[in-house]
Amino acid sequence: RKRRVASRAAGAHNVCRLLSRRAHGFYARDAGVSHRKNLGLLRKIICQEGTKFKNVWTTHSASPIAYERGRIYLDNYQCCISSIAQEPRILYQKPKCSKSEKIEDALLLECPLGEILPSPSDYKSSLIVLTVQNWLLRLSADSGEVLEKIYLAGSCCKFRYLSWDTPQEVMVVKSAQNKVPAAARQAGIQQSVLFHLAVFQVLPLSFIGMLEINKKIFGSSVTDVAVSNGILIVMHSMGLVRLYNFQAICEQFMEQPFDLGHEFNWNGQVGVVGKYPFGLPCNIKITDTPPLLFEASSLENAFQIGGYPWHYIITPNKKKHKGVFHICSLKDNALAKNGVQDMKCCSLEPDWIYFHPDMSGRIIHVGPNLVKVLKLKEIKNNTDQVEVAEDFTIVADRENCVNNAVTVTASGRVVKKRFNLLDDDPEQETFKIVDYEDELDLLSTVAVTEIGADGKAHLDFHCNDYGILLKSIPLLESWDVTYSHEVFFDKDLVLHIEQKPNRRFSCYVYQMVCAAAKEDECSSPEKTERKFCKKGGRIFEYI
């Protein structure tokens, strides 16, 4: 009897625990758990010794190449190619657009989970693009079909930039800086409105408001503005950065809300919201300086917030301090213990620092031959101060590099060098890119060494917790350090986009292959037979 009661009590406890875990999103048979297990398996496969990455195809373009979630965009987003197939597969190819239809910027929009949306097309990925004529278009990511069109404004301002305030939730469209023509300046005409910002909720796409950044409100020294995570960031010419509550500004200064597609009567104009020729009304009028949340002075307006507890990173606002970073508490501006980070690099390209994108609160500091991952930790017996401590370090392979200032020849003659090599000299292995693959929880680095006339690069995967090297992938194409490069690591895909002089762009696609693939196919471009094919008027080179 007692055993039966105890068994029932234990069963009730287990049911309660299961319901509690289910409420927090933990359930053994839900899609999230299966997805995480699959990603864990994929990570193990990628890091196996027998797994290689093979350069499956390459293409070239006279215009910039962009990559978003398995799709490669060329010809100003007029051509979209799937990067998943081993041979290039064109998803869509549009006719060449005129200069008036040129796309200035684009964002990938993905369906939110757990929400009922008004249109079946809303459940598929789409591309938000901004054209040179102030049109905001939502395109199907797979077919290029225009799903929505919004006209932003007339010739009073030129919108140029798209960004996320809250990723996949709130989008900001920013104009180029309004500048007074030379003739108007000579006539004494001054322009007080510097920027326009239009803010949208996405999926379904809805208009929140448009506002002006006026130097009469924010000061005559304003040089740039941005919106991120509900914060309006205003940058000034003297290195000053000021933060304001963007949501509070919208609520306080909004004169009237408007819905897309509805008729409006605004300042004597009658039209339809988001339709040509009226566009969007400027319905948020900032009439007074909003309350200041925070301000800091930093060289070149470089300012970042992150960590736990909240900290910010700045460079003291003097040129002699370039490359020196201060990590300070957001609460009281106190400098953290060991909060001055200085690699003392002697290099052409400066080192850089940023908060780790894995939301761990750590900091990544990248120099020519070092990648330092730092963490914030409380000091014992002093809860008011935080210490910056080293979590782990990744070091470039420079074992064979000898840079002695004094050498002795075979005859015994002492030779002194007149100069030392720079820390990022091409002949030494140097870190060029550091990134984080969030789905596989891997820290990736690209290191380059120039051997003779060619530069050789390799992509390395490191354990995100301890920095241990798990995998190294050689990139077969030559890497010129004077060119601009991007490397994307997206699960089982590696993509290298290179910009050469005279607007020549190249895209190299690598895919994961397991031990059955021949070694030569993955490691030696000379030993593999490369073929050429023409699809959609474009030439592709593949193996």
Side-chain angles (χ1 to χ4, degrees):
R1 172 100 183 170
K2 287 182 181 178
R3 286 180 185 174
R4 207 175 279 174
V5 170
S7 176
R8 284 177 185 169
H13 176 71
N14 288 337
V15 168
C16 291
R17 186 170 64 180
L18 176 61
L19 290 173
S20 175
R21 284 174 59 79
R22 200 180 277 178
H24 286 87
F26 299 103
Y27 186 48
R29 290 194 293 269
D30 70 10
V33 170
S34 299
H35 186 59
R36 283 192 293 273
K37 285 184 177 178
N38 290 341
L39 289 175
L41 290 172
L42 178 59
R43 172 181 160 135
K44 289 180 180 177
I45 293 170
I46 286 174
C47 295
Q48 284 177 352
E49 186 178 351
T51 302
K52 309 294 180 184
F53 278 77
K54 174 184 173 183
N55 179 206
V56 289
W57 59 268
T58 300
T59 191
H60 308 280
S61 174
S63 59
I65 302 173
Y67 173 77
E68 290 284 356
R69 294 282 183 178
R71 302 175 186 89
I72 301 168
Y73 295 96
L74 303 100
D75 299 338
N76 196 231
Y77 293 93
Q78 300 304 296
C79 178
C80 179
I81 304 170
S82 171
S83 63
I84 297 171
Q86 285 210 343
E87 290 188 9
R89 181 166 63 90
I90 295 178
L91 296 177
Y92 66 82
Q93 173 89 56
K94 289 183 170 186
K96 189 175 180 180
C97 65
S98 64
K99 287 186 178 181
S100 63
E101 297 174 312
K102 180 190 171 189
I103 293 172
E104 295 282 0
D105 205 354
L107 286 177
L108 183 70
L109 188 56
E110 296 186 292
C111 168
L113 299 176
E115 291 188 24
I116 299 175
L117 301 173
S119 172
S121 65
D122 295 342
Y123 291 95
K124 295 183 179 180
S125 297
S126 55
L127 201 65
I128 297 279
V129 301
L130 175 64
T131 74
V132 72
Q133 293 289 349
N134 284 345
W135 283 95
L136 191 68
L137 309 177
R138 186 164 76 90
L139 311 177
S140 166
D142 294 322
S143 68
E145 177 191 357
V146 178
L147 304 175
E148 288 183 81
K149 289 179 69 172
I150 298 170
Y151 186 65
L152 299 175
S155 58
C156 60
C157 59
K158 296 292 184 183
F159 284 95
R160 289 291 177 268
Y161 311 101
L162 295 176
S163 63
W164 292 114
D165 172 16
T166 305
Q168 302 297 328
E169 292 183 20
V170 179
M171 177 182 67
V172 179
V173 190
K174 188 179 84 169
S175 72
Q177 185 172 346
N178 297 327
K179 293 183 179 179
V180 181
R185 282 199 306 269
Q186 290 174 0
I189 300 173
Q190 301 214 352
Q191 175 66 268
S192 60
V193 178
L194 299 172
F195 299 95
H196 286 82
L197 301 175
V199 188
F200 294 86
Q201 190 86 29
V202 298
L203 284 182
L205 201 57
S206 58
F207 175 57
I208 295 175
M210 186 189 290
L211 66 150
E212 300 172 341
I213 301 298
N214 196 314
K215 62 183 181 183
K216 291 181 180 178
I217 301 296
F218 293 99
S220 59
S221 61
V222 173
T223 57
D224 203 357
V225 64
V227 179
S228 178
N229 294 294
I231 301 295
L232 176 66
I233 306 164
V234 181
M235 287 152 271
H236 296 258
S237 57
M238 68 287 286
L240 190 66
V241 179
R242 287 179 170 157
L243 310 185
Y244 304 89
N245 187 326
F246 186 65
Q247 185 177 353
I249 289 172
C250 292
E251 292 173 356
Q252 180 182 351
F253 297 105
M254 182 175 289
E255 296 185 348
Q256 182 182 338
F258 290 94
D259 293 324
L260 292 173
H262 289 212
E263 289 189 0
F264 73 94
N265 188 333
W266 183 256
N267 293 337
Q269 285 187 321
V270 179
V272 179
V273 180
K275 299 294 183 181
Y276 184 85
F278 302 102
L280 304 174
C282 193
N283 61 335
I284 301 174
K285 295 282 187 182
I286 304 176
T287 55
D288 195 12
T289 306
L292 182 68
L293 291 181
F294 185 83
E295 71 175 7
S297 180
S298 180
L299 187 67
E300 299 174 352
N301 299 111
F303 177 80
Q304 302 175 65
I305 295 178
Y308 181 80
W310 290 106
H311 278 67
Y312 64 90
I313 303 173
I314 60 169
T315 294
N317 198 10
K318 291 183 180 178
K319 287 186 177 180
K320 68 178 182 180
H321 292 306
K322 190 167 186 176
V324 179
F325 303 99
H326 286 197
I327 303 169
C328 305
S329 169
L330 191 65
K331 179 182 177 181
D332 54 11
N333 297 317
L335 183 69
K337 185 178 179 182
N338 300 327
V340 178
Q341 294 295 312
D342 183 7
M343 283 195 176
K344 302 187 186 301
C345 305
C346 180
S347 57
L348 292 176
E349 296 183 9
D351 52 328
W352 69 96
I353 194 169
Y354 58 99
F355 285 100
H356 200 312
D358 70 350
M359 306 302 291
S360 64
R362 294 180 295 175
I363 296 166
I364 298 177
H365 188 184
V366 185
N369 65 324
L370 288 176
V371 177
K372 287 185 177 182
V373 177
L374 311 170
K375 60 183 178 182
L376 301 171
K377 67 175 189 178
E378 292 184 355
I379 299 175
K380 290 183 180 179
N381 304 322
N382 186 0
T383 56
D384 294 331
Q385 193 179 19
V386 169
E387 179 182 8
V388 178
E390 192 174 291
D391 198 14
F392 62 81
T393 299
I394 301 170
V395 184
D397 183 10
R398 294 187 172 182
E399 292 180 2
N400 298 326
C401 176
V402 179
N403 186 26
N404 295 325
V406 179
T407 57
V408 181
T409 65
S411 62
R413 186 166 61 93
V414 176
V415 179
K416 293 184 179 180
K417 288 186 180 179
R418 295 186 178 182
F419 60 89
N420 292 323
L421 287 176
L422 293 173
D423 289 330
D424 61 349
D425 188 277
E427 294 181 4
Q428 305 177 102
E429 184 172 270
T430 302
F431 291 116
K432 293 296 180 182
I433 298 173
V434 176
D435 203 356
Y436 173 65
E437 216 298 335
D438 57 344
E439 293 184 292
L440 300 179
D441 194 30
L442 290 172
L443 195 65
S444 63
T445 63
V446 176
V448 181
T449 308
E450 196 169 278
I451 303 171
D454 294 330
K456 294 298 180 184
H458 56 91
L459 172 65
D460 292 347
F461 301 151
H462 296 264
C463 168
N464 187 45
D465 294 324
Y466 305 106
I468 300 167
L469 177 63
L470 302 175
K471 188 77 177 176
S472 186
I473 301 167
L475 300 181
L476 305 186
E477 62 277 5
S478 177
W479 184 297
D480 191 319
V481 295
T482 63
Y483 298 167
S484 175
H485 299 266
E486 288 182 289
V487 174
F488 298 91
F489 169 43
D490 191 356
K491 295 195 279 289
D492 60 343
L493 174 82
V494 171
L495 201 81
H496 175 205
I497 297 176
E498 176 185 46
Q499 179 179 353
K500 301 175 183 177
N502 302 320
R503 292 185 63 81
R504 291 181 300 138
F505 299 84
S506 298
C507 177
Y508 307 89
V509 179
Y510 291 76
Q511 289 182 349
M512 183 182 76
V513 291
C514 292
K518 294 179 181 178
E519 181 76 20
D520 290 346
E521 290 183 354
C522 304
S523 61
S524 176
E526 294 83 8
K527 295 181 181 180
T528 54
E529 182 184 351
R530 307 190 76 86
K531 301 175 184 178
F532 295 87
C533 69
K534 193 171 184 178
K535 295 184 179 182
R538 181 176 302 281
I539 296 175
F540 296 91
E541 181 183 351
Y542 65 99
I543 298 174

